[in-house]
Structures are given as C-alpha cells and as structure tokens.
C-alpha cells in the first residue's frame, strides 16, 4: 500500500489516499455522534461539517506552516487534516469543556465548530507563527470571517513588499503565506462577502476563497440567494485578463477527490507565488444531517433531492473511486471504516469522561458540604431537599451546583456554624475559579496590557512651539513610523493627501505607500485589514474617516475584534488601533456622537476620547506599547486650535482610565469628555462669575472608566454632580452616572439629584443654528447647573426664568 500510483495525473502514495479516506470517515462519524449527543442532552447545540469532508482534506494538503485560515463553523475536517483538531478536542468543544488543554480553540466559550489556533503562549507572548499552521478564531456571524480574511492576506503582501519587515521571520517568510477563506453559498449574499471580494481584487493578495455550495441556506434554495443560481458565474467579472488584474476562478465538484486535488494545487500555487486571489466554487456539496440540530432537512428538501444527495455523498463517491482505481478492496475499506468509527466513539467517551470528572468532583464536594450544613440548621428539611434534587440531576452542570449552593444560603441566614462557614468559603473559591473559566480575558492579561502602561508626562520648554493641533498628531505618527517598521496606517484619503485633517501629511512620501496607504470607501474591510494584519504581528492604525461611518463596521468591531481575546481565553490578540474623529460638526450625518452604542457594542476594546490632539498623541504612544485593541476618537473641531508641541512627542504617554481635573471647584462636579470639555470649561467660567465654583473633570477614556475613583473623590467634596456629553439622552452620560453612583457608591455623598446634560434625541440639524439647538451649549450647561443650585439655595440663586 505504500507504492506511488499515478491516478488521473495525481501522484500520491496509496496509503496517503487511504489515510485521507479514513479521516473523512472519522470526521463524518464525529458529526453523526455529535448530533446524538445533543439530542441526549449532553450538549446544547450542534452544527457540523458533514458533506464537506473530501474537499476540505484536498485543500488541506496544500496548507503550509505560516498559512492562515479564516473560515466558518463547518471546517472541522480541514482543521483535523492540518493537525489542529482531534476528535477528542471536537467533542470537548461540543461539551463546552473549560480546560484550555482539552479544548484549545476557546476553552469551552464557543459552541462547537468554532476553531482557532493559539498564537500566544500562556503569558500572552507571540509564538513562532511561521512554524505552525494557523487559524484565526471563528465567529458565528454570517460572512463575519470575510473582513478579517482580507487583512490576513494583505499582511503577506506587506511582509513581501517592505524590506524592513524581512527579518520578522516569526510572522512571515517573505510574504509566502496564503490566507484560506471558507463560506457557505447562501452567506455569499451578505455585504461583507462582496466588499471583501472587491477589496481582495483591488489589493491583489494571496487569498484562496472556497465556497461550499450545497444549494441551500437552511431551508431556502439557491434561487432565492444568488443571481443565476451560481456565485462563480456571477463573479466572472472578477476574472483576471492579460491586461487587467483580478481573480482566478475555479469550479469543481465537492465529491471529486482527484479533481479537488488538482484544483487546489493550482489555485494555491497561483496565490502563493503570484499574490493573485483565487475563488474556488465547490459545487454539488451535500449536507447529510441538514443545517444543524435545530431541525431536519427532510422538511424542506424533496425526495428527489434527498436521493440525489445520498448518491453524491462525497465519502461514498471517494469510496467508489478508490475501488474503481484498485487502490483497495471493499473488505479493506469496510475494516477501515469500522476502525475509524470506533476511533470517533472512543474519542467521545474519553472527552466526556474528562469533561465530567471535574464536575463530579465539585458535585460531590457540594453535596457533602450542603449535607453537613443542614445538620446544624433549623431548616434541615429544606436543605436536604436541595441536596437530594442536586444529587438526582441527570448530567449536572456547574450551573446546577452553583444554583443549589446559592439557594442553600437562603436557609442558613439564621445559622452560625463551622459547616456554614466552610460552605461559604468553598463557594467563594469556586466562584473565583468559574470567573476565570467564563469571564477572564475580556482585555489583555499579559505584561503588555494597556492598563499596565505607565503614564509619561509631556514635557515643554520656553522654546516649545505653538502649533495647530493637527501638527501634534502628525509629529506623533512620524515618530511612531520612524521607530517601528511594523507600524502601518491606511484608510480613505490617508495616503496621498495625509487624511482629511492632515494628521498624516507628508508621511506617505517619507515612509512609502506600502506603509501609509489609501483605501476605497469600504469601512468594514478597512477594519478587517487591521484585524488580519494585527493577528500577524503588525501594528496597524486603521482610519475610519468620521465617527458616524463607524456604523458600517460596528458588526466587525463588536463580533470579531472586541471579543477576540475573550472567545479564545487569551489565545490570540489583534492590537489594532482604530482612529476616527467626531462629536461636533454640521448636519445630520457628520455630527452624531453615538458613544452609548459604541461603548456597549465593543466591550473588549478600549474607547479613548481625548479633548485635544496632545492627549490623542499620548494615547497613541500608550497603545503602541500595549497589545489591546482600541479606538481613539479625536475632536473634529480641534485640528486647527493651537497647542504647544511636546518636546518628547514620541515618548510621552497618557494612561488609560485616569480622569484629568481641568478645574478645581467646591460646589458641583461637572463630568465630561472630548469636544464638550471646551463647552463645559466656558460654562464653568461663567458660573464662577456669579459665585458657583464648579469642578470640571475630563474622563479621557470611557473604556476603561475612572479606575482610581477620581470622580468619586470630587463628589465627596462637592456633593453634587452633572454628567455632560453630546450623545442622546441615556447614552454615555447614563453610563458615566452608573459607574460613579452605583459602581463607586457616589450616591451616598449627594445633596442634590444627579443630572445629565445631553444632546436632543434626534441627530443634529445642519448649520450653526442646528448645532446650537441640537447639542449642549454653554448656556444649556450654565442654566442646568444654575437650576440645581437654585433648588439647593433659592435665596442665593434666584430663579432665572
């Protein structure tokens, strides 16, 4: 079986072909068993890669060390074929095993079918990515993997074309790495797919995009999804020609093993050597178990379609081809199939045993402690019932244990005993453990975490120049690019003209188009470029031209970038800096300040809101020393305001989560950020003229928010507080209020009700008057604060009107 035999111009050892077949059978058995495990209640949900085994094995043969995958939740066979997933790990993820060694893709945090390789060691430091086969961490969102895929491929182009990066061998070997994408045919209807495909064609990146086409999207047939019912036919306009760059497009049957091998060999060679993106449309794919464990495809597929799928099952067709080619006998294949299925069953059993052993240990301890606590309690009967209910639970979860223990505390309130104390101590210890298992790593926990970067004050001399604010950020970026060849910047109008506000003015000419580049109008894939590049060790600054354009990319930021460290429990990081500008301008579409939406959608990223360009520069310096992703929102109306140029422009750092007291006062604390700082400071000056002494605090960052309780200390002094911003009512102002009054206990120190001063509920109207009557003005702040002081001291502060 070890001799090489040429089959239809494909030279493979027979034992390699047979091994491929065995893997396909094992993976299929994993899927079949997985569905049963869900129905037995041992797992919550199942979505599997059955029907795609042979195509994924063929593709995997040309996946090399250093390459990257950005796929979706049906790629289990591919992950097994590249040696990054075992059947036991497959079941560990199905059961949500929280041991990162048992389930390295997510430590039980993501449902089955979501894969990722660990780019970082236990300290959060980079491993040698060119020595391993890499998979970016999956997300469930339809087509959500596409923006990141662009960045993964683009990084190879940067590593190849920038000589200064050629020594970074841990991340790339001359840009030879290919980015492998996968998607289902129905998901190609999503805008993310179309934007990413266009971006890849423009950028000419080494990307191989596979589309698994099983003719359906859950219950909806192809005719409702795709024009002409063929995505490759629709995309023929992307095909490159002799004089115009574009894609190479391939179409191949998903059950044709030799044709799949030839197709992928050719496509990947083109991508790797020529940096030309390729599309592989894999048609006639089947889905034997339907979409997921939530339903049955027999409900919506005709008998004729179901019969066709059985006849064209890729494993059946591969078996037929093996027998026709005389590579094995039916008896040998029967024995091999039996062995592969037994291997899958053994993996399930081992995985379940490993998963439940820890739970059983916690269960037995909880039962013993509840039982002992019951003996010394007047509520012995109720506690024994809780114990018995827990003991009789079928396949108990940690939640069942925690629920029982917490319910026990209700019946022990009047009991003081050593047994009760032991139960409480045990629960607290377990709660800390469970917190680590389910709630750690929302942000970086490495030594390079942004919260661990110390502040460095900006320094000035008598000769420090007074310049436009834009010149401060431009000088900061110049210093960053000069210091680190990994730093890149890109976005609409960033390159040739140096961005619309000149923050990158002259830098493309100085550092080259490879490092500072323009993009098309495509915010989602601008962010995707940044994510992929950051995953591959670069330090990208992705610019979204205006704050309201962030809405185009909020799904990618929220579902992909912000959750990355969390969903892999620190296994990957993408320290992307998103630069934008906003708050005040003119009109409905350029002056919104949707901060509440942003801070609630992208937990896992830092949100920095500098009041001027010097503070913004300090944040950029801080972030470049850190490994967290962040968004920096510069004040749109501050670029031409004068600021002193720091002498240490590339070194000073503004720490995160540390508010800045802009003005001391004793009567009321005014909390704000960004462009509103100037409005509030002017109002505070006018209030001082009538005897109201306001303390003004710039929070500087919303995520994190006031780590040292600076605002609380101010409220203790003034006993009054107002939260002021340009968001709609209930937006970021409510967020700030909750943190100060509830989290920090500021309510206890108030002598007057807390207030918020915000924009109107609608977007701002156009023009100077539209701005004045839509957003908080100096007069609004003055009058609301005055009214609060009038309520407190009506004789001193008479009613205004």
């Amino acid at each position: 079986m070890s001799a090489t035999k040429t089959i239809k111009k494909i030279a493979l050892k027979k034992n390699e072909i047979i091994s491929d077949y065995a893997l396909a059978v094992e993976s299929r058995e994993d899927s079949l068993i997985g569905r049963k495990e869900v129905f037995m209640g041992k797992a919550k949900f199942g979505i599997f890669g059955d029907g795609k085994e042979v195509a994924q094995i063929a593709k995997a043969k040309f996946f090399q060390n250093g390459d990257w995958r950005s796929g979706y939740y049906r790629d289990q066979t591919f992950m097994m074929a590249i040696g990054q997933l075992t059947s036991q790990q497959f079941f560990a993820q199905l059961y949500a095993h929280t041991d990162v060694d048992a389930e390295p893709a997510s430590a039980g945090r993501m449902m089955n079918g979501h894969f990722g390789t660990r780019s970082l060691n236990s300290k959060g430091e980079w491993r040698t990515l060119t020595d391993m086969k890499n998979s970016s961490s999956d997300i469930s969102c339809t087509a959500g993997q596409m923006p990141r895929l662009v960045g993964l491929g683009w990084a190879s182009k940067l590593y190849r074309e920038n000589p200064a990066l050629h020594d970074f061998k841990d991340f790339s070997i001359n840009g030879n790495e290919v980015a492998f994408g996968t998607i289902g045919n129905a998901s190609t209807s999503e805008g993310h797919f179309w934007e990413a495909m266009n971006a890849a064609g423009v950028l000419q990146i080494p990307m191989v995009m596979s589309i698994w086409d099983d003719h359906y999207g859950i219950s909806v047939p192809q005719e409702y999804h795709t024009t002409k019912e063929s995505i490759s036919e629709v995309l023929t306009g992307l095909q490159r020609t002799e004089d115009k760059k574009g894609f190479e497009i391939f179409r191949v049957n998903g059950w044709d093993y030799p044709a799949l091998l030839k197709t992928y060999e050719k496509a990947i060679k083109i991508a790797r050597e020529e940096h030309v993106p390729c599309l592989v449309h894999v048609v006639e794919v089947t889905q034997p178990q339907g979409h997921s464990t939530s339903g049955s495809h027999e409900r919506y597929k005709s008998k004729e379609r179901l019969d066709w799928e059985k006849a064209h099952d890729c494993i059946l067709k591969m078996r037929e081809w093996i027998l026709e080619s005389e590579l094995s006998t039916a008896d040998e294949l029967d024995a091999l199939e039996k062995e592969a299925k037994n291997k899958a069953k053994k993996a399930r059993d081992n995985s379940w045993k490993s998963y439940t052993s820890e739970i059983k240990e916690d269960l037995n301890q909880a039962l013993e402690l509840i039982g002992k606590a019951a003996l010394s309690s007047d509520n012995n009967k109720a506690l024994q019932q809780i114990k018995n209910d827990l003991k009789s639970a079928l396949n108990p979860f940690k939640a069942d244990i925690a629920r029982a223990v917490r319910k026990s505390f209700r019946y022990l309130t009047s009991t003081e005993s050593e047994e009760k104390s032991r139960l409480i101590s045990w629960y607290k210890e377990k709660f800390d453990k469970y917190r680590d298992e389910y709630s750690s790593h929302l942000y970086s926990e490495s030594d390079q975490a942004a919260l661990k970067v110390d502040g460095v004050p900006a320094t000035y001399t008598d000769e420090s120049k007074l310049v436009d604010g834009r010149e401060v950020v431009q000088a900061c970026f110049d210093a960053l690019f000069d210091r680190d060849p990994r730093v890149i910047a890109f976005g609409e109008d960033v390159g040739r003209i140096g961005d619309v506000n000149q923050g990158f003015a002259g830098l493309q000419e100085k550092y080259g188009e490879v490092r500072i580049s323009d993009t098309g109008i495509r915010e989602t894939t601008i962010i995707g470029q940044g994510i992929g590049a950051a995953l591959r060790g670069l330090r990208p600054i992705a610019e979204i031209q205006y704050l309201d354009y962030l809405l185009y990319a909020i799904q990618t930021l929220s579902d992909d970038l912000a959750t990355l460290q969390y969903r892999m429990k620190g296994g990957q990081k993408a320290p992307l800096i998103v630069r934008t500008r906003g708050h005040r301008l003119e009109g409905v579409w350029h002056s919104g300040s949707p901060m509440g939406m942003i801070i609630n959608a992208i937990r896992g990223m830092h949100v920095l809101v500098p009041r001027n360009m010097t503070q913004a520069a300090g944040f950029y310096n801080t972030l470049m020393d850190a490994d967290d992703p962040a968004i920096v929102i510069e004040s749109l109306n501050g670029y031409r305001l004068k600021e002193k140029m720091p002498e240490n422009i590339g070194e000073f750092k503004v720490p995160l989560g540390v508010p800045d007291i802009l003005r001391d006062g004793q009567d009321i604390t005014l909390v704000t950020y960004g462009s509103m700082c100037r409005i509030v400071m002017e109002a505070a000056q006018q209030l001082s003229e009538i005897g109201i002494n306001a303390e003004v605090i710039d929070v500087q960052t919303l995520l994190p928010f006031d780590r040292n309780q600076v605002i609380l200390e101010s409220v203790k002094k003034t006993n009054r507080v107002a939260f002021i911003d340009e968001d709609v009512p209930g937006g970021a102002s409510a967020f700030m209020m909750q943190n100060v009054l509830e989290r920090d206990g500021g309510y206890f120190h108030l002598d007057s009700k807390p207030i918020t001063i915000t924009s109107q509920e609608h977007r701002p109207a156009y023009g100077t008057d539209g701005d004045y009557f839509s957003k908080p003005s100096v007069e609004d702040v003055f009058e609301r604060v005055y009214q609060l002081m009038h309520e407190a001291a009506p004789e001193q502060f008479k009613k205004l009107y």
Side-chain angles (χ1 to χ4, degrees), residues 458 460 465-479 501-503 579 612-618 620-621 634 638-639 641-650 652:
Y460 302 93
K465 294 180 180 179
L466 195 64
V467 300
D468 288 348
R470 62 183 176 82
E471 296 180 65
V472 176
V473 290
Q474 191 269 356
C476 173
F477 290 144
D478 191 4
N501 294 104
Q502 298 293 282
R579 180 195 183 215
N612 58 34
M613 300 307 145
T614 301
Q615 300 304 98
Y620 289 123
N621 289 334
E634 298 170 7
Y639 291 105
L641 298 180
K642 298 299 182 182
E643 301 180 34
K644 276 191 174 184
M645 177 71 75
E647 297 298 317
N648 56 341
I649 186 62
F652 80 97

Side-chain angles (χ1 to χ4, degrees), residues 547 581-585 590-593 595 609-610 633-636 673-676 726 764 775:
L547 182 59
R581 53 190 66 85
H583 304 314
R584 305 188 80 95
L585 190 61
H590 272 335
S591 53
S593 187
M595 299 307 302
V609 282
I633 304 169
E634 298 170 7
S635 296
L636 185 51
Y673 60 86
S675 296
M676 281 304 299
E726 300 178 62
K775 291 208 166 195

Side-chain angles (χ1 to χ4, degrees), residues 260-312:
L260 286 160
L261 288 170
K262 287 190 292 185
T263 299
Y264 276 113
E265 181 179 33
K266 184 176 181 180
I268 295 163
K269 180 179 172 59
I270 291 171
R272 195 179 306 281
E273 295 179 0
E274 301 179 43
H275 276 199
V276 170
C278 296
L279 171 70
V280 181
H281 186 192
V282 184
V283 298
E284 296 196 7
V285 174
T286 67
Q287 201 155 271
Q289 296 188 112
H291 178 265
S292 69
T293 54
S294 292
S296 170
H297 62 158
E298 285 83 0
R299 292 184 301 158
Y300 52 84
K301 290 179 181 175
S302 67
K303 182 180 182 303
E304 291 74 18
R305 174 69 192 189
L306 291 170
D307 289 343
W308 181 90
E309 290 194 10
K310 288 178 182 178
H312 288 79

Side-chain angles (χ1 to χ4, degrees), residues 442-443 450-451 562 595-609 619 623 628-633 655-658 673 699-707 732 735-736 738-739 743:
L442 179 59
Y443 297 92
L451 299 186
M595 299 307 302
M597 177 199 72
I598 291 168
I599 60 179
N600 287 306
I602 61 174
R603 301 292 171 95
M605 294 180 65
H606 295 302
V607 178
L608 317 183
V609 282
F619 283 138
L623 294 172
D628 283 292
I631 179 170
V632 181
I633 304 169
L656 274 55
V658 181
Y673 60 86
V699 303
Q700 301 213 87
T701 68
L702 289 169
L703 296 176
F705 182 84
D706 192 6
R707 293 193 288 146
F735 166 81
M736 294 189 291
Q738 182 198 24
N739 275 280
R743 184 195 73 178

Side-chain angles (χ1 to χ4, degrees), residues 114-134:
H114 290 66
F115 309 113
T117 52
R118 303 194 75 78
S119 303
L120 311 176
N121 63 23
S122 59
K123 295 180 180 180
E125 301 165 335
W126 290 108
R127 298 170 63 191
T128 301
L129 303 185
T130 48
D131 285 348
M132 57 187 286
K133 294 179 170 66
N134 304 283

